Amino acid sequence: MAKITIPAANLEYDCENDTIARAAVRHGLGFPYECNVGSCGNCRFELIEGEVEHRRANPPGLNERDIARKRFLGCQAQPKGDCTIKVSLRDNYKSKHLPRKTEAVLAGIDDLTHDIREFRFNLKQSNLFLPGQYALLSVPGVGGDRAYSMSNVTNLGDEWHFQIKRVPGGEATTSLFDKLKIGDSVGLDGPYGMAYLREDAPRDILCLAGGSGLSPMVSIARGAAASPALKGRSIEFVYGGRSPRDICGESILQLLDGYGERIHYHPAISMPEGAEGWTGHTGFVHDIAEMLFGEKLSQYEVYFAGPPLMSQAVMKMLIKARVPVGQLHFDQFY
Ligand SMILES: Cc1cc2nc3c(=O)[nH]c(=O)nc-3n(C[C@H](O)[C@H](O)[C@H](O)COP(=O)(O)OP(=O)(O)OC[C@H]3O[C@@H](n4cnc5c(N)ncnc54)[C@H](O)[C@@H]3O)c2cc1C
Ligand code: FES
């Protein structure tokens, strides 16, 4: 068992078969992170004493300058013994429900589109999560964990659902879609993530999703619809894909109390060629949101998720529309 010491915060914690950031979050500490897969660089720390090794070789979240300065990624660095590190802990990274590792058994599968599938897992050891959070799945035969956002809400924490988009040639999604059968197990570690539903925010809600971003936005909408604190708040849900066969989600929202009254679904496709009979919007998610909500955008609590290009375009549009950054909630997908 390794001991991690952070002198500036005057504390130490244990880290056993774990990474330095995940062990910290498990201990209730506010260790900064975002993607948890070595890509964003938000979990960087400086190693003062001791030795660590990265689980993911050459992680994109580190550059040459970081390496020269003895900086490592908290989400990937596993200690080889006791370590002393320098990192600024922040309260907003403290997790309400501490992440735990458990085994999850695949209990159900449903196809939502030609390449998005819902996977429903039963957890051996239940744990709670907030709508919008994600888990790390360790899929048999796949190198490294992958982050997937939950699509359901839970009071018991024994069932976690994920809506996952197949990536052509992708290691984890090929295994999940083509190999994993009902009754098979994966490793699950969670919950993680800061883009969770703010029940204390007294604003209407705007969910913007594209492709793989469906899952956390469905969870946010489900959580918001069921929240007594958000009763009466409207929920606007914009979902984008390339063509009509990519579009889904309406049948899920239709089951929510208030659908058609305070909950509205706005589908959009970006490649209308050949889409005869399409009655939804045509354009990119950020353009459709700007067209529909325009000057009112700054009045919303905005949640968004999807491929990196979509998230960047949405962010740019929201900043231009002067939506305060405190009202924006997203985890970058990699
Ligand atoms: C916070 C977050 C939430 C996400 N939520 C969803 C979701 O709800 N639905 C969905 O469909 N997708 C989601 N993704 C994307 C998902 O995690 C995968 O990137 C995607 O499924 C492709 O995985 P793949 O293995 O099939 O593809 P590959 O092309 O084989 O791998 C792609 C990604 O896997 C990661 N990776 C590769 N090797 C390693 C390694 N050794 N260790 C750790 N990571 C590695 C990298 O981030 C890389 O970009 C999310 C991503 C993040 C960061
Ligand atoms: S690189 Fe560690 S959280 Fe993103």
Side-chain angles (χ1 to χ4, degrees):
M1 169 106 62
K3 207 161 266 312
I4 311 299
T5 306
I6 309 179
N10 194 24
L11 58 80
E12 54 181 37
Y13 62 92
D14 296 331
C15 182
E16 190 177 14
N17 189 24
D18 213 344
T19 71
I20 285 185
R22 292 180 204 163
V25 180
R26 269 183 246 291
H27 280 84
L29 303 176
F31 200 114
Y33 72 97
E34 188 180 332
C35 71
N36 239 322
V37 292
S39 294
C40 72
N42 284 353
C43 60
R44 267 175 299 203
F45 69 88
E46 201 179 313
L47 186 65
I48 309 288
E49 217 177 290
E51 233 185 302
V52 301
E53 65 184 342
H54 275 146
R55 286 186 176 177
R56 182 175 178 184
N58 306 315
L62 269 194
N63 58 34
E64 292 297 325
R65 211 161 143 241
D66 292 322
I67 295 164
R69 290 182 170 193
K70 285 199 91 180
R71 286 191 186 143
F72 292 85
L73 295 178
C75 73
Q76 299 301 314
Q78 196 161 317
K80 288 183 164 180
D82 292 355
C83 289
T84 302
I85 65 169
K86 187 173 166 191
V87 66
S88 297
L89 301 179
R90 285 191 245 136
D91 277 354
N92 59 311
Y93 287 99
K94 285 183 179 172
S95 208
K96 180 171 178 195
H97 304 298
L98 298 184
R100 274 208 300 256
K101 294 187 244 184
T102 186
E103 196 182 320
V105 181
L106 184 62
I109 301 175
D110 262 322
D111 280 332
L112 303 183
T113 69
H114 64 105
D115 65 356
I116 299 183
R117 188 173 281 181
E118 180 169 278
F119 296 85
R120 296 186 291 278
F121 289 95
N122 288 339
L123 272 58
K124 284 269 164 77
Q125 239 198 316
S126 56
N127 196 5
L128 298 176
F129 61 83
L130 300 172
Q133 288 195 293
Y134 69 87
L136 296 169
L137 298 190
S138 138
V139 182
V142 174
D145 301 324
R146 294 293 185 278
Y148 292 107
S149 312
M150 284 69 83
S151 61
N152 60 324
V153 289
T154 181
N155 290 324
L156 299 174
D158 52 347
E159 266 190 54
W160 291 28
H161 302 175
F162 302 88
Q163 293 164 347
I164 297 177
K165 184 174 162 73
R166 184 196 277 272
V167 172
E171 216 188 324
T173 50
T174 300
S175 245
L176 284 163
F177 277 70
D178 297 341
K179 295 192 187 138
L180 206 72
K181 296 185 298 299
I182 304 290
D184 289 348
S185 295
V186 299
L188 184 152
D189 182 7
Y192 290 103
M194 255 54 65
Y196 54 82
L197 177 68
R198 273 34 181 203
E199 292 195 60
D200 56 354
R203 275 173 282 273
D204 289 338
I205 289 163
L206 179 57
C207 294
L208 306 175
S212 55
L214 179 73
S215 204
M217 295 304 106
V218 164
S219 180
I220 293 276
R222 284 173 161 158
S227 163
L230 297 172
K231 206 175 165 63
R233 292 286 157 207
S234 73
I235 303 169
E236 305 293 341
F237 196 108
V238 181
Y239 184 66
R242 286 185 183 182
S243 61
R245 71 180 192 139
D246 298 324
I247 300 302
C248 64
E250 185 172 22
S251 59
I252 299 173
L253 298 186
Q254 277 169 340
L255 300 175
L256 302 179
D257 194 23
Y259 185 79
E261 293 156 14
R262 68 176 180 116
I263 304 175
H264 304 107
Y265 177 75
H266 312 275
I269 57 167
S270 58
M271 289 170 55
E273 299 78 23
E276 283 82 24
W278 171 250
T279 55
H281 299 284
T282 297
F284 292 112
V285 168
H286 63 284
D287 290 329
I288 302 303
E290 192 175 21
M291 178 195 77
L292 291 174
F293 307 106
E295 293 190 346
K296 284 195 342 209
L297 278 166
S298 62
Q299 295 165 24
Y300 285 95
E301 202 70 22
V302 189
Y303 301 86
F304 58 97
L309 279 179
M310 184 213 97
S311 290
Q312 285 155 21
V314 166
M315 182 62 132
K316 210 168 150 193
M317 180 277 291
L318 293 170
I319 298 289
K320 198 177 116 218
R322 297 179 182 278
V323 184
V325 283
Q327 286 167 225
L328 307 181
H329 311 286
F330 68 101
D331 281 319
Q332 189 89 269
F333 281 17
Y334 293 93

